Amino acid sequence: MFGYIRPFQPELRIKEYEAYRSVYCGLCKELGRRYGVFFRLTLSYDFTFLAILSMSLRQSSPDFFAIRCPINPFKKCSACRLEGVTSQVAAQAAVTLYYKCRDHLSDEKLLCRLPVYGLFPLFGRSWKRARASLPAFDCLMEEMMRQQRQVELQFAGLDLSAEPTAHALSAICEKLSDDPTQRRVLSRFGYLLGRYIYLMDALDDLEKDEKKQRFNPFLQQYTVEKIKNLSYSPAVESIHGTIAELEKAFALLELNDWRPILENIVSFGLKQSLQKALQKKEKNT
């Protein structure tokens, strides 16, 4: 995951924002405890969303407790942890980081690989520890990366290129509930969420992929110059259409008190991430 699934803070109530931050801090602490202090720096908003979605489907209440942030040890902050959720999501984050680094090593040229080569033994040790607790998730990620490489070698179109990520998130979200009806909705929701992540990443990397002559689904039909002249509308329309379908699937989910935070992310945060990506492109022109 890549950090696109985040809340839109102006639309969150203070208590909702504090609860969101508590989940983030709880995951940060769990990553540090299980995999080392360095891994705290790798936590993305996407895994915070996944943790909150998992909590929103549970009947048990999480624990809130005070911790000291390593960035500012003189200040206490609230952390949230739920047994069976926080540790699992932390392990998923460690496994995902490992495969993301492997992908980076296969895509980049030698000079860009060197920093990752230096850290790869650390990633590998943590990956083995995380994989031991989540072997099925590890297999899912490995298969997703294999399928992604395959569709890129075939120069597949936009929809086929997004399928590996979409199917992986579908499988992840489906397993968050034992209820058959909820599982069907979660499967659809996860599929669309994975598609959104893939499309956002492709849009974000558009200029870099063209410069480095790497595969990008939008570059199958357009040059960067052409899509820029269209105000990135082919990408924007695809992403907005995916968000619209996501909102429909989300409305069918039966969630507990965490729902307002998730609703904020789905209804406002995803669109805000798109706007930020477009604004960044405007500044770089």
Side-chain angles (χ1 to χ4, degrees):
M1 300 191 187
F2 303 89
Y4 300 119
I5 309 173
R6 58 177 68 193
F8 182 52
Q9 190 178 340
E11 289 290 337
L12 279 178
R13 292 183 292 179
I14 293 174
K15 69 174 185 178
E16 292 166 354
Y17 179 70
E18 290 300 322
Y20 178 88
R21 291 294 306 176
S22 294
V23 177
Y24 185 94
C25 291
L27 275 174
C28 179
K29 181 175 177 62
E30 189 74 10
L31 278 168
R33 185 175 72 86
R34 287 179 175 267
Y35 307 109
V37 175
F38 172 79
F39 274 82
R40 288 183 172 219
L41 303 176
T42 69
L43 178 60
S44 78
Y45 293 104
D46 300 344
F47 285 101
T48 308
F49 175 86
L50 184 59
I52 294 175
L53 180 62
S54 300
M55 291 179 183
S56 72
L57 295 159
R58 304 286 183 101
Q59 293 183 346
S60 52
S61 299
D63 297 320
F64 288 86
F65 52 96
I67 61 171
R68 292 193 183 276
C69 178
I71 297 175
N72 185 2
F74 299 103
K75 181 182 179 182
K76 285 188 176 181
C77 56
S78 174
C80 172
R81 187 181 190 281
L82 181 60
E83 189 68 34
V85 171
T86 308
S87 59
Q88 177 173 296
V89 174
Q92 289 173 332
V95 169
T96 303
L97 178 64
Y98 171 80
Y99 283 103
K100 189 176 179 183
C101 289
R102 267 183 45 175
D103 184 54
H104 180 85
L105 291 176
S106 66
D107 281 350
E108 297 291 346
K109 294 182 179 178
L110 181 60
L111 284 177
C112 296
R113 294 179 194 171
L114 290 177
V116 179
Y117 272 130
L119 293 168
F120 204 65
L122 172 64
F123 296 149
R125 286 195 298 271
S126 299
W127 164 67
K128 288 177 182 177
R129 198 177 308 142
R131 180 184 62 175
S133 62
L134 295 174
F137 180 80
D138 180 74
C139 290
L140 177 67
M141 293 303 297
E142 186 173 28
E143 178 63 16
M144 183 194 80
M145 299 304 294
R146 186 193 68 78
Q147 290 179 2
Q148 196 65 61
R149 286 192 295 270
Q150 188 175 355
V151 297
E152 290 179 5
L153 288 171
Q154 294 171 349
F155 295 98
L158 184 63
D159 291 333
L160 281 177
S161 298
E163 283 292 288
T165 308
H167 281 300
L169 265 292
S170 174
I172 292 167
C173 290
E174 183 182 8
K175 293 175 182 176
L176 297 180
S177 175
D178 295 325
D179 180 81
T181 303
Q182 286 285 87
R183 283 171 68 92
R184 285 196 296 273
V185 178
L186 285 164
S187 176
R188 175 63 176 168
F189 179 80
Y191 178 89
L192 293 164
L193 193 65
R195 178 180 168 85
Y196 168 84
I197 291 170
Y198 182 83
L199 295 178
M200 280 293 300
D201 189 53
L203 172 62
D204 222 4
D205 290 345
L206 202 57
E207 290 80 4
K208 185 165 59 176
D209 286 342
E210 185 180 64
K211 182 179 179 180
K212 296 186 177 183
Q213 296 184 325
R214 293 190 308 210
F215 175 84
N216 187 299
F218 295 117
L219 295 177
Q220 298 295 97
Q221 292 182 280
Y222 307 93
T223 62
V224 168
E225 190 63 31
K226 185 173 181 181
I227 199 170
K228 190 186 295 182
N229 290 336
L230 294 170
S231 302
Y232 300 97
S233 59
V236 171
E237 288 170 7
S238 295
I239 293 169
H240 272 305
T242 302
I243 293 173
E245 292 299 311
L246 254 174
E247 290 176 321
K248 293 177 184 177
F250 179 80
L252 299 175
L253 290 173
E254 297 175 6
L255 307 173
N256 60 25
D257 293 342
W258 291 98
R259 186 182 190 93
I261 298 174
L262 297 172
E263 194 164 26
N264 171 281
I265 295 170
V266 171
S267 299
F268 301 107
L270 301 183
K271 295 169 188 173
Q272 180 65 14
S273 289
L274 173 58
Q275 289 304 311
K276 283 186 175 181
L278 294 173
Q279 288 166 7
K280 185 173 73 173
K281 291 181 180 299
E282 288 178 8
K283 287 180 182 178
N284 292 335
T285 55

